[in-house]
Amino acid sequence: MSPDLQAGFRFEWSYTVPPRASVPQLYHDTGFCLDMPDVLATGYLVGMMELGCVHGVMPFMDWPREQSLGTMVHFSHFAPTPPGMTLLIKGEVLEVDGRRLLFRVEAWDGVDRICEGTHERHVIDPLRFNAKVAAKAAAALKAVGAA
């Protein structure tokens, strides 16, 4: 990660909400969700807020040798957005503490501010991280086989 990434850095990212991001579409395998409003699901919005932060700091990363993973989200989702609208994600880096990044982030849908909050990410070495995941998967398989 470049030492040029500092608190105060601001960024924006746009994303058009696809139909698959609505509550009935995203949770199509859960019966009662099929009757819910056809609006952007909070779970999908959280992902878009995260991706806005990833996109914002990408110029400071040695991609793909450095990547970042979300470790904390604290968002309020307070306005509905139908599919087809374009989100504008606006963010600011609040802290850079070693490999830990803290962001303030908000989303607008062209009519309303729909979400705001904070998000934390950690910069990782994907080779080391993937090795740990593979070891965990192997341990889980071994535990299932022993049961």
Side-chain angles (χ1 to χ4, degrees), residues 18-147:
R20 71 176 182 273
S22 73
V23 175
Q25 295 296 316
L26 187 61
Y27 305 111
H28 61 87
D29 57 349
T30 305
F32 64 85
C33 289
L34 297 175
D35 296 326
M36 294 181 75
D38 192 28
V39 295
L40 175 61
T42 301
Y44 200 94
L45 175 58
V46 167
M48 294 305 93
M49 301 288 274
E50 286 194 80
L51 287 179
C53 293
V54 171
H55 184 268
V57 299
M58 187 67 76
F60 301 96
M61 298 290 159
D62 181 14
W63 188 271
R65 292 179 358 149
E66 284 183 318
Q67 297 176 17
S68 66
L69 296 175
T71 54
M72 184 276 298
V73 293
H74 186 259
F75 297 133
S76 294
H77 184 185
F78 36 77
T81 302
M85 294 187 80
T86 299
L87 301 181
L88 177 61
I89 311 293
K90 298 179 179 184
E92 178 182 1
V93 175
L94 296 178
E95 294 177 24
V96 178
D97 181 15
R99 294 186 163 277
R100 187 182 71 82
L101 308 172
L102 182 65
F103 302 88
R104 177 178 29 246
V105 62
E106 61 186 26
W108 298 76
D109 67 9
V111 175
D112 293 311
R113 184 172 58 122
I114 65 164
C115 187
E116 70 178 6
T118 56
H119 176 46
E120 180 182 88
R121 300 189 71 74
H122 279 80
V123 177
I124 62 155
D125 172 341
L127 293 176
R128 283 184 39 211
F129 186 85
N130 289 336
K132 288 179 184 178
V133 171
K136 186 173 188 174
L141 224 97
K142 185 176 179 181
V144 168

